[in-house]
Amino acid sequence: MKIVMLGAPGAGKGTQADKIAEKYNIPHISTGDIFRSNIKAGTELGKKAKSFIDQGLLVPDEVTIGMLLDRIHEADCENGYILDGFPRTIPQAESLTAALKENGEAIDFALDVEVPDANIVNRMAGRRACLKCGATYHTEFAAPKKEGICDKCGSELVLRDDDKPETVQKRLEVYHEQTHPLIDYYKKKGVLHAIDGTLSMETVFKNIVDILGA
Ligand code: AP5
Ligand code: MG
């Protein structure tokens, strides 16, 4: 099963992708998480990505596409995967479609998690992220067992640098300009499903399972 998660920054893509990965036993691949772990480790890729991410801009396609295509050719992707935060531009989507087509494959589901911009800025301020394992929490809606510590790996939780309100605003603008057109792209391919992301995390997940099948 090959799934793409669409939706604005903060819509809940990572939260739901984690649950989907666990239930269907497929890897959760987040380009944002890959960039953040590279920034933390101080790699060349991390250095390239950081200036764009901190400004709320997209990392250039030349960097992102090759990185993602390499990742989906790894052994754990044989039975599918869930992509969270990729594709984000039409050229990214076209490259993915072309790479899959070479093996007679295609994306099975594109899940668009819909949340109005007005709800997003608030959500982001309460988000806490683990930069080591990628787990996401919320001070109000999904608090960790021990404040400031990741339940999964015990690392310290942080407020992401790009979650400041002015950067979130820029990320939303970039989303509407460059990523929103992907909804039409996957609609035309007949694989798009819209999901109301304003409901509780559990209800959103239940609605996704209804689409994917138990
Ligand atoms: P990325 O890490 O992908 O960030 P994003 O798309 O902006 O999305 P977020 O991770 O902020 O939100 P999310 O939808 O995962 O929501 P979450 O589940 O955390 O990308 C970061 C940057 O990297 C980009 O800006 C760009 O620079 C670069 N980048 C990444 N991919 C790229 C690409 N393909 N091309 C170019 N550049 C790329 O939820 C948010 C909060 O809300 C959490 O605290 C959560 O607990 C809470 N929450 C979730 N669901 C609910 C709910 N139903 N009710 C209440 N609270 C909820
Ligand atoms: Mg995320």
Side-chain angles (χ1 to χ4, degrees):
M1 182 153 52
K2 297 183 186 62
I3 308 170
V4 158
M5 295 291 288
L6 301 174
K13 301 183 296 296
T15 301
Q16 298 300 329
D18 246 359
K19 292 176 188 276
I20 294 166
E22 202 185 326
K23 178 166 171 71
Y24 297 94
N25 202 18
I26 48 175
H28 168 192
I29 301 173
S30 155
T31 39
D33 284 349
I34 299 175
F35 288 135
R36 282 184 290 278
S37 65
N38 274 277
I39 292 172
K40 194 162 182 247
T43 67
E44 274 314 304
L45 175 67
K47 281 177 200 154
K48 259 189 224 160
K50 185 171 167 42
S51 60
F52 296 99
I53 293 179
D54 285 352
Q55 293 176 70
L57 302 173
L58 296 184
V59 178
D61 285 345
E62 307 85 82
V63 177
T64 311
I65 292 173
M67 176 184 92
L68 187 277
L69 294 184
D70 284 349
R71 178 64 187 90
I72 62 171
H73 287 106
E74 286 178 25
D76 64 336
C77 291
E78 211 170 306
N79 296 323
Y81 39 77
I82 172 146
L83 303 183
D84 157 17
F86 187 99
R88 256 183 154 91
T89 62
I90 293 287
Q92 289 183 13
E94 285 171 343
S95 303
L96 178 62
T97 300
L100 290 173
K101 205 169 169 191
E102 275 178 24
N103 301 324
E105 297 173 344
I107 290 297
D108 302 302
F109 297 95
L111 306 176
D112 176 33
V113 184
E114 296 180 330
V115 176
D117 287 9
N119 299 25
I120 288 196
V121 181
N122 285 341
R123 263 196 199 183
M124 298 304 234
R127 170 162 63 185
R128 295 296 177 273
C130 176
L131 298 185
K132 183 142 182 253
C133 77
T136 297
Y137 301 87
H138 194 282
T139 49
E140 192 182 334
F141 308 121
K145 292 195 182 84
K146 190 166 173 224
E147 198 186 324
I149 303 292
C150 179
D151 291 348
K152 291 193 181 149
C153 75
S155 301
E156 194 188 343
L157 299 177
V158 297
L159 179 68
R160 271 170 42 181
D161 285 342
D162 59 346
D163 279 351
K164 286 175 283 188
E166 61 277 21
T167 315
V168 171
Q169 205 54 55
K170 182 70 202 170
R171 286 162 63 198
L172 283 170
E173 273 168 38
V174 168
Y175 166 76
H176 287 293
E177 246 169 56
Q178 300 192 52
T179 307
H180 195 267
L182 294 180
I183 294 176
D184 243 15
Y185 181 88
Y186 284 107
K187 200 183 271 172
K188 285 192 185 125
K189 294 198 175 295
V191 295
L192 184 84
H193 299 265
I195 291 135
D196 182 351
T198 64
L199 305 173
S200 74
M201 291 175 205
E202 293 70 29
T203 308
V204 175
F205 185 56
K206 189 189 159 296
N207 293 343
I208 289 176
V209 172
D210 284 347
I211 292 164
L212 300 180

